[in-house]
Amino acid sequence: MISKFEGLPENVAAYRASGEVTREDYETTLIPDVEDKLEHHEKIRLLYYLGPEFKGFTAGAMWDDTKVGLKHIGAWDKVAMVTDVPWLRNTVKCLGFVIPGKVKIFHNAELDQAKDWITSHN
């Protein structure tokens, strides 16, 4: 399941993943929200928290994640990935260079620091 974080600036797309994340989660929550933000902002920021409740992605969710990331490759100003899942941290480390914006990885215990970083002006 994907739920949105509230209380962050309008140019920040912020999500919490829990349990198993499915294609439907992307198609009903994340993708429409990202598309809406891009109608109002040339560049947006992404905060994605995959904490201890996160269990994994379905194949369809992984495909949708890839599609939305690549479709808007130039629109990401900053990306903050918050997770302790080793394969996700490694994937972001290996592929983060593809994103023209700034990418930073945080541990679950650093969620507040990730929020501060994603909303900062630098």
Side-chain angles (χ1 to χ4, degrees):
M1 180 170 94
I2 295 176
S3 56
K4 294 192 301 186
F5 276 96
E6 301 298 331
L8 293 170
E10 179 59 31
N11 68 328
V12 177
Y15 311 100
R16 175 187 316 266
S18 59
E20 184 176 58
V21 176
T22 67
R23 166 176 267 154
E24 183 177 328
D25 294 322
Y26 271 81
E27 294 176 356
T28 61
T29 303
L30 191 144
I31 293 172
D33 190 52
V34 166
E35 298 289 342
D36 181 61
K37 289 184 181 307
L38 286 171
E39 287 182 21
H40 300 96
H41 303 279
E42 184 178 331
K43 299 260 186 186
I44 62 173
R45 298 171 177 200
L46 174 66
L47 171 69
Y48 205 175
Y49 174 57
L50 300 106
E53 302 85 20
F54 172 71
K55 301 299 180 213
F57 293 105
T58 65
M62 291 180 77
W63 178 242
D64 275 357
D65 184 80
T66 302
K67 287 192 316 186
V68 75
L70 292 175
K71 178 179 178 185
H72 301 296
I73 193 75
W76 307 112
D77 182 38
K78 284 183 169 182
V79 175
M81 173 70 78
V82 183
T83 188
D84 288 338
V85 178
W87 74 266
L88 287 170
R89 294 179 63 83
N90 290 333
T91 300
V92 173
K93 283 179 191 174
C94 291
L95 299 177
F97 74 91
V98 175
I99 298 170
K102 298 176 185 174
V103 178
K104 193 164 181 181
I105 307 165
F106 297 86
H107 287 281
N108 289 340
E110 300 172 314
L111 178 59
D112 287 338
Q113 290 94 319
K115 288 179 183 179
D116 289 343
W117 180 77
I118 205 74
T119 59
S120 70
H121 295 290
N122 57 357

